[in-house]
Amino acid sequence: MPQVPQTFFDALAVRTWCGLALRALGRAREEIDAINVYPVADGDTGTNLYLTVESAATAVEAVFTGHAAGAAPHGTPSLADAARAMAHGALIGARGNSGTILAQLLRGMAQVLAAEGESPHTDAAGLRLALRRASDSARQAVARPVEGTVLSVASAAADAAADAEGDCGTVAKAAYRGACTALAATPGQLAVLERAGVVDAGGRGLVAVLAALVETFTGETAAAPSGTGAFAAAEGCDHPGGPADPQAPGPPAGVESCADDGAGGGPAFEVIYLLEAEDAAVARLRERLDALGDSLVVVGGDGLWNVHVHVDDAGAAVEAGVEAGRPHRIRITHFGADDVHARGGGGPPRERVQRAVVAVVPGEGLAGLYTEAGATAVLARPGEPPASGELVQAVRRAHAREVVLLPNDADLRHTAAAAAEQARAEGIRVALIPTRSAVQGIAALAVHEPDRRFDEDVVAMTSAAGATRYAEVAVAERQSWTMAGICQAGDVLGLVDGDVAVIGADVTAVAETVLGRMLAAGGELVTLVLGEEAPEGVAERLEARVRETYLAVDTVVYRGGRQGALLLIGVE
């Protein structure tokens, strides 16, 4: 369906832009990954940009959903609300060097758009100012700015927009064309790009995002880029100088050696984390991390920051964050020998295994359990569900021809389905088993046999998961209507198969009631997964109850760590 143009930059335009940008990056992801040679040739820039925008788009959708549900006096969020949500979503979901810079670009724009207060929209002048603030703030976030990167492309877009007269569509077109011209010039600014015969991958991603901005305001779709040569990545851009040379060579084998990476003498690790800290502490952190490594980008503000750096001593980078404030969502990636880019094209690719299991798990303890059982675990911390792109990355990381995907959460069924579809498009055979709880995943994993036929294995795992009833014990965060009546904040809730069945004041008592109801329908094995804040003795009390009342039923207990729920229960 053709996109309906937006005349002004309002909340709906923010929502539309995020959706179109996500779609554009999804189409261009593989191409952008393929031309990623700077600052490290780790082949993930397109994926990181996609994940960053996916997080921004999800945050904006949440704001619209909240307003539609009557959480605010008006049915539609203000421009300021939507812009702040976009910036916050990008900040907490930023991945990699380019994703982190893109998050700051969006934050810079949001600072201008949110300054409109309760105004429903801004005009072309506001868009010009937003693009300028975006470019300036991104440069300030990078410790050592380098020309020939996404920073150059962003600056050119802001410069071109500043000279444009007309409506938002005219300004967006000017920014897009300026970005295209700058992108085509990046090989002449960075020798590593010129040797590889490619344009800057981060800049290519920004061009896709700006093309989505043009489509938002005009309904016009920019021509899709094709090819992998130096100018082919900018081929779809309508810029002075005409289209790309279709005969431009792709990146030669071993081009990865052109860039500094873990195998070629550069830093061995990428460290990323969110940080809650004061401005003064972040200023000191910048100095310390700049001395430890390179590719330092610190974005954010108002007490929440996203920190990205390449270092040899990952522990020191994390310790610096601990001294500055409270780091969380810590991600450490080794530019290791298994990465094609780290190998420099000098060795054969790692052989794919025949079959693997990828599972979303809610706590560190369960992640260890699943990993020991041979699965690739994706950790979902409380309030931080994985995006579809993260699941796709996990499927790729499993490096298998066939993958069984266990979402272990009813709310992740659409996310997991999207990830499975994308993985199938990449030639991987994926079966999605709709597990609703980690205990169903444990049951499925227990009968997994990689040596039997794929279909037979999937049927057996699906059957085991379906035969496992699941429950959890948690604490209510606020007053709410439930199937068992009205609960108050602080009440202990017992949920069976996703619905509240018991409301009480004592964790152990509620757990006993829930377990009794489940076993009344029969069962042979009880699985208990204890959360980090589960009270002492609850597992022992439940085990004793099972021994005393149900002689033929066995019980197993696992430590789940910080998993959200106090207790997970499975009965099969």
Side-chain angles (χ1 to χ4, degrees):
M1 180 180 294
Q3 180 61 44
V4 178
Q6 301 293 313
T7 306
F8 295 102
F9 207 155
D10 57 8
L12 183 57
V14 172
R15 182 191 203 183
T16 302
W17 181 32
C18 287
L20 291 173
L22 185 63
R23 201 177 313 162
L25 288 171
R27 291 192 297 265
R29 181 189 58 76
E30 289 186 8
E31 175 210 329
I32 297 172
D33 282 347
I35 64 172
N36 172 202
V37 298
Y38 183 87
V40 173
D42 49 357
D44 62 0
T45 290
T47 299
N48 287 336
L49 289 170
Y50 179 89
L51 291 173
T52 302
V53 173
E54 183 180 46
S55 183
T58 299
V60 172
E61 285 301 320
V63 168
F64 270 84
T65 300
H67 279 72
H74 305 292
T76 304
S78 67
L79 171 61
D81 288 338
R84 290 192 191 101
M86 173 185 71
H88 182 72
L91 175 67
I92 65 174
R95 301 289 195 280
N97 186 71
S98 293
T100 308
I101 293 173
L102 178 60
Q104 189 67 4
L105 287 166
L106 295 179
R107 178 179 172 80
M109 292 191 70
Q111 287 174 331
V112 172
L113 300 178
E116 298 291 332
E118 293 304 312
S119 174
H121 58 74
T122 190
D123 55 12
L127 178 56
R128 284 193 292 268
L129 183 58
L131 290 168
R132 172 55 62 198
R133 178 71 64 84
S135 173
D136 292 345
S137 62
R139 279 188 177 272
Q140 292 166 6
V142 178
R144 301 178 184 274
V146 175
E147 298 305 325
T149 65
V150 63
L151 297 177
S152 302
V153 177
S155 294
D159 291 343
D163 295 333
E165 296 293 336
D167 59 11
C168 286
T170 303
V171 172
K173 282 184 178 180
Y176 171 69
R177 289 168 180 156
C180 287
T181 302
L183 178 65
T186 56
Q189 295 172 293
L190 266 181
V192 61
L193 301 179
E194 187 173 31
R195 289 195 297 268
V198 298
V199 294
D200 179 66
R204 168 66 184 90
L206 180 58
V207 164
V209 172
L210 290 173
L213 187 65
V214 172
E215 186 175 357
T216 298
F217 291 120
T218 68
E220 299 173 9
T221 304
S226 62
T228 57
F231 297 95
E235 185 176 334
C237 299
D238 178 17
H239 59 78
D245 177 5
Q247 303 302 317
V255 69
E256 298 81 356
S257 61
C258 295
D260 292 334
D261 58 27
F269 298 95
E270 177 184 62
V271 178
I272 306 174
Y273 49 80
L274 287 179
L275 179 70
E276 295 176 21
E278 299 296 328
D279 291 5
V282 172
R284 293 191 295 271
L285 175 66
R286 289 178 192 269
E287 294 179 2
R288 182 168 177 187
L289 292 180
D290 192 31
L292 284 175
D294 59 29
S295 297
L296 173 61
V297 186
V298 182
V299 305
D302 302 321
L304 182 63
W305 309 81
N306 192 308
V307 179
H308 170 281
V309 67
H310 293 172
V311 292
D312 282 320
D313 189 344
V318 175
E319 288 171 8
V322 172
E323 291 181 8
R326 190 176 79 85
H328 50 106
R329 287 202 192 184
I330 300 169
R331 296 182 181 86
I332 299 174
T333 303
H334 179 238
F335 301 127
D338 280 341
D339 192 317
V340 64
H341 300 281
R343 288 197 306 270
R350 180 163 59 98
E351 181 66 24
R352 287 186 180 273
V353 298
Q354 182 59 32
R355 190 175 308 157
V357 176
V358 173
V360 180
V361 292
E364 293 86 350
L366 279 179
L369 173 67
Y370 273 76
T371 301
E372 288 175 9
T376 297
V378 180
L379 187 59
R381 294 183 176 87
E384 301 176 9
S388 64
E390 291 179 84
L391 298 186
V392 173
Q393 282 189 316
V395 170
R396 295 186 191 121
R397 196 166 65 245
H399 209 64
R401 298 182 182 89
E402 301 167 340
V403 171
V404 179
L405 181 58
L406 306 175
N408 291 340
D409 187 336
D411 291 336
L412 287 177
R413 61 189 184 280
H414 297 306
T415 301
E421 194 62 35
Q422 183 171 338
R424 291 183 189 117
E426 297 176 9
I428 304 171
R429 189 179 185 188
V430 180
L432 171 60
I433 298 178
T435 48
R436 295 170 172 264
S437 170
V439 292
Q440 288 190 323
I442 291 172
L445 199 55
V447 300
H448 168 54
E449 291 185 15
D451 292 333
R452 63 184 164 196
R453 289 179 55 243
F454 184 63
D455 291 339
E456 293 176 355
D457 198 28
V458 171
V459 168
M461 294 176 72
T462 302
S463 178
T468 303
R469 281 159 288 147
Y470 64 96
E472 69 176 74
V473 178
V475 176
E477 296 180 354
R478 58 185 175 275
Q479 184 185 63
S480 179
W481 289 87
T482 75
M483 297 287 288
I486 300 174
C487 71
Q488 305 295 329
D491 283 348
V492 179
L493 307 179
L495 294 86
V496 179
D497 293 336
D499 293 322
V500 176
V502 182
I503 300 174
D506 180 75
V507 173
T508 302
V510 169
E512 282 194 75
T513 302
V514 167
L515 184 56
R517 292 190 182 186
M518 297 177 76
L519 286 172
E524 299 175 353
L525 177 65
V526 171
T527 300
L528 303 176
V529 182
L530 299 177
E532 187 176 55
E533 298 180 1
E536 288 293 330
V538 64
E540 290 79 2
R541 177 66 192 122
L542 294 176
E543 285 184 286
R545 171 73 182 275
V546 172
R547 283 196 305 270
E548 295 165 2
T549 313
Y550 309 95
L551 300 179
V553 178
D554 294 323
T555 304
V556 293
V557 180
Y558 301 109
R559 297 276 176 182
R562 192 165 68 93
Q563 62 184 24
L566 298 173
L567 177 67
L568 300 178
I569 304 174
V571 174
E572 53 185 298

